[in-house]
Structures are given as C-alpha cells and as structure tokens.
Amino acid sequence: MRKISIVLLILLHALIAVLLSANLNVWADEASSLFTTNAPILEVLKNSLVIEEQAPLYFLVLGLWRTIDDSFLWARLLSIIFSLFSIKIFAELVQRFVPKGFVYLFTVFFSLHPFLIWASSEIRVYSLTILLSLLLLKVFVAEYLDESFSRKNSFLMILTAVIAVYTNYYLVFLLFGFFLYLLLRSREVKLFRFLCEMFVVALLSIPLIFIIIEQMNLITSDGFRKDKSIVEGIKNLWNFFLTFTFPMGIFPLDEQQTIIASVRNWLARVFFLTITILAFRWRREIFNFELEALAIIFLTVGSCLLISYFLLGITYVQVRHASVWFVTVIVLLMLVLSRILSKRLLFLFACLMAIMFAYSFYLEYLPMAKRGDWMRVARFIEERETENQPVIVFQAYDALALMAHYRGINKILPDEEFFKWGLESDPGSEAAFRKQIGFIISKIPVDAEEIWLATDETCQNPKTQAACADLENFISSNYTILLQKDFYLERLRLLRKKP
C-alpha cells in the first residue's frame, strides 16, 4: 500500500477528530483528567493513584503536555496524536496478516472506526491504550510468530510491556494472551524466552504491585455493588464485540434502541454464524498458527474482562475499558474475512460498514454534545445570571465538567469532595445517593435567594428518578421554579426561595 494512502487516511482522521474535539463539551470523566493533571508533577502522580485509582503514566504525560497549554482542546490533541500513530502501526501490522488487495480497505475500516474517533476526542487513556495494544501485538508478532529473535526485539517487548503496565492495568490481559498461546501452541524455547522477558517486566513493575492491591481494596470495599451474573457478563462482552464489529453508537441511549438496533443485532448474529460455518467448512485452508494465535489472544482478553466484571463490578468493565480488546477483535475479524470472503463479498461488507459507521456517527453526534452538554449549560447561565445566584450541581462529580466551561460571576457548588461519592444502594431506590444529596444540600448558601440547579439524567429517567427524591422534595418544599431548560442528559433550573 502506498504511503500517500496512509497519509490521506491519517489526515482525514485528524480532521474529523479535531473538528469534534473543538465543538464537543468536556464531560465528567474528562474533567476528572483535567483536575488530576492541573497540579505539579508529583501531585499529578498522587492524584492518578488516589483519585483516579489507575496506572499513572498517561496522567503524567498529560500533565507535562498541559504545561504548554491548559485548554481542553490541547489536552484532546494528545489523544488525537496517539490515534494517528495507531493508524500507521495498524497499516503496518495488517499487511503482515492479509493479502495486499485488502490492506487499504481494512485500514480505512480501522482509521474511520467510530470507536477510534471517539477515543481521539477523549481526554482519557483509551487512545493511548489502543496504540500500546498495537505496539504489543506488533512486537509479539515480529518476535514470536515471525521468529525474528534479537536483542532489539526482546528489548522492545520488555519496554513496551513496562510502558503498558504503567499506563493501563488491563493491558496485562494481552500479555497473558501471549503467554497462553506460547504455552499451548509453541516450543518450550519460545515460552522460556517470553517468561524471561516477563520476569524483567515484573521486576520493573514492583512499585505498582502494592499500589494495585490498595486500589483493589478500595474499589471492592467502596459503596454499593449490584448483583452480578454470568448472563449479564456475557451479554456485556457481546455488546462490546458488536460495538467494535457492527458499531451503532458508542453509548446508545435507551430511546435509541429502535427497530434499527434490533435489525443490527440479528444481522450481526446471522453474519457471524455464517462466518463460523464457513470457517469450519474450510478450516484446513484458513487455519494456521497466525489465526490460532489471534484467536487465543482474543479469547483470553475477553475472558479476563469477564473475570474483571465479577471482581470489580460493571462500573469498571464498560465499553471504554474494553479498548484493550479493540485491536485484537479488529485484526482477528480482518484476518478471518480476508480468508473466507471474495473481493466482491468484501466490497459488500465494506458497503454495509459504511452504512453502520454513518448511522453510528449520526447517533453519537446528533446532539453535538457529550454527556451533560456543559458548554451550552455554561453559556445559558452566563447570559441570564445575576450576582448571588450560586450554581448547584448534582452529581458532585459533574461540577468539575461545568467548571471547565463556565466563566460567569457566580460560584459553582459543590467545590470540594468531588470524588467521595458513589452508589449507595440500588440505582432505582431513594437511598441510591442519599448521603451525596445531603452533602450537596448542605453546600447551598443560606443567604442565596435564587440558585441555579443542574441535575443529570438520573433525575429525569423514569427508571432511576426515585434516586433524586430527597433532592426534589427539598426543592419543592423550599423553592419555586422560575426557569427550566433541558439540555443533552442534563436539566437546568433557576430557583427562587419561598417566602
């Protein structure tokens, strides 16, 4: 594939990602990244471990990056750069697995994939996770599938693995997948070589071990945990897999689960059933060590995500956390399709994907806002506010997102303890956020005759609005509504204290 073709795809991805990044508001998770990195470097390290409860490397890099410019667009640019390198690495990697005639088609699929574009516009670790997944897979292929043993490749494996561990704990799942493949399908000398490399990685990761144990204790002991089931866990994995292979929005809302979504689900089932049947029929022609390696890695990472769901709960195994699985799913799919489908059928598949991608972008960016729509909320308040009208935000975590955009004259409350609160009971019960609501009510200044109140979709969704009962009862007893405006997954009200 000519380099100019890759350059054009990189430029197209960059254009789309920059336009979205410039026009989409910061949401709570991104605001958390900005808060975490808005400090001296040692404080950033502490925040990443204590507040974010994550591996620290991405936040350290982001903190240094933001010393040049502290705008949210500049922060998103770092994620865009990671994605652009990912496109280049993917193009190089996919050439190793598929015929030349298919390389460009598959690279287009990857570079314009809604999930990659979404990751590019996030001030979070996901874009870097995708890049490191590709680098790990590329180094593993070179050293163990192509048997290009050298000190350079061994050093690259150790270096990339250490960076991965210090960036995203879930990237260890890929390393475990490599280990299982070598254990099951490779010679002992390869397995011994890999174990030696991983021993060095483990030694260099010792500082993280005690931190991870402490973070695990905090996660598993903090707050309410929903009951878990194998059915829900597998359904969760299937949804991740569909998002990567037949995308229809990254975070579709309940009202977006239309007949089109049902058609997509059945189409995907029929498609993958057909692929499975064809693969079994022609197994002697298509199965080799490459496909075995990718299949084992794919199953291993998926299984590790399922185990994480049981250990940590659904909160820590969302589609964004499955970014560690994204590359393996795509590369395996591309390899299977290139061996089963003719060019004509692949062209039909490409047309189907073009429709799915377009519809996915339509669903994801129709409101041209991320969760909370904080850019428009901030502008709306600034245009109408007067002095002594504090802005109260529920949930407390969301106050950081509003702070990223608001340039008005009033104080945003709460202004502390943003990360203290979690789910306290069943999401649909009145006790779900009782302590947090009590804290937020206590932050309302007693001398404020009028206040702005922003509440998230929890208070509007019929399935969860009971969780806001304490807050709504307090408001109805003490205030009258002067103005109400609904934004994307956020409701804003101007309230006046009753006589």
Side-chain angles (χ1 to χ4, degrees), residues 8-179:
L8 290 175
L9 283 177
I10 288 173
L11 291 176
L12 180 57
H13 180 98
L15 177 63
I16 296 171
V18 169
L19 287 174
L20 290 174
S21 296
N23 289 283
L24 292 170
N25 62 281
V26 168
W27 71 295
D29 275 14
E30 292 183 289
S32 176
S33 294
L34 296 177
F35 180 86
T36 295
T37 57
N38 188 30
I41 199 68
L42 290 179
E43 191 71 18
V44 171
L45 176 62
K46 177 184 175 182
N47 289 345
S48 64
L49 299 174
V50 177
I51 294 176
E52 299 287 350
E53 297 178 342
Q54 295 186 38
L57 187 55
Y58 166 75
F59 297 101
L60 293 173
V61 173
L62 180 62
L64 292 172
W65 178 259
R66 294 187 66 212
T67 59
I68 301 172
D69 186 294
D70 65 354
S71 70
F72 69 88
L73 178 58
W74 180 256
R76 284 173 173 165
L77 183 60
L78 182 63
S79 294
I80 295 173
I81 292 171
F82 291 144
S83 290
L84 299 185
F85 278 107
S86 293
I87 295 170
K88 181 180 183 299
I89 300 299
F90 180 88
E92 296 171 356
L93 182 64
V94 79
Q95 289 182 68
R96 166 63 180 74
F97 290 107
V98 304
K100 289 184 178 180
F102 300 141
V103 172
Y104 187 68
L105 175 64
F106 293 154
T107 307
V108 171
F109 178 89
F110 178 80
S111 61
L112 298 182
H113 197 290
F115 188 77
L116 184 66
I117 290 176
W118 168 82
S120 293
S121 66
E122 285 285 302
I123 311 173
R124 297 298 276 179
V125 72
Y126 314 121
S127 180
L128 180 55
T129 296
I130 292 169
L131 175 59
L132 288 171
S133 300
L134 281 161
L135 289 172
L136 282 172
L137 191 57
K138 183 180 179 182
V139 174
F140 177 77
V141 167
E143 186 173 5
Y144 292 99
L145 298 191
D146 294 340
E147 299 189 352
S148 178
F149 299 118
S150 66
R151 290 184 178 179
K152 176 185 176 182
N153 280 339
S154 187
F155 172 76
L156 287 175
M157 173 59 79
I158 293 170
L159 177 63
T160 309
V162 170
I163 292 173
V165 170
Y166 276 85
T167 298
N168 187 332
Y169 301 142
Y170 284 8
L171 283 169
V172 173
F173 301 163
L174 268 176
L175 300 176
F176 189 51
F178 299 163
F179 165 74

Side-chain angles (χ1 to χ4, degrees), residues 372 374 377 392-395 398 437 440 452-460 468 471-472 475 484-493 495:
W374 295 109
V377 170
I392 314 301
V393 182
F394 174 78
Q395 299 186 36
D398 283 327
I437 290 173
I440 288 175
W452 294 91
L453 175 65
T455 52
D456 71 0
E457 73 271 22
T458 303
C459 302
Q460 282 70 254
C468 299
L471 178 61
E472 295 298 332
I475 295 303
Q484 178 172 300
K485 173 74 172 177
D486 286 337
F487 296 86
Y488 180 63
L489 301 179
E490 197 71 25
R491 173 168 290 174
L492 180 67
R493 285 171 282 183
L495 307 174

Side-chain angles (χ1 to χ4, degrees), residues 395-414:
Q395 299 186 36
Y397 190 53
D398 283 327
L400 290 171
L402 181 55
M403 290 176 185
H405 296 288
Y406 179 69
R407 300 295 180 267
I409 58 176
N410 288 295
K411 194 170 186 179
I412 297 174
L413 299 169

Side-chain angles (χ1 to χ4, degrees), residues 348-365:
L348 292 177
F349 174 76
C351 292
L352 176 61
M353 287 300 101
I355 295 171
M356 297 301 301
F357 281 20
Y359 190 65
S360 182
F361 286 126
Y362 168 77
L363 288 182
E364 195 68 32
Y365 302 113

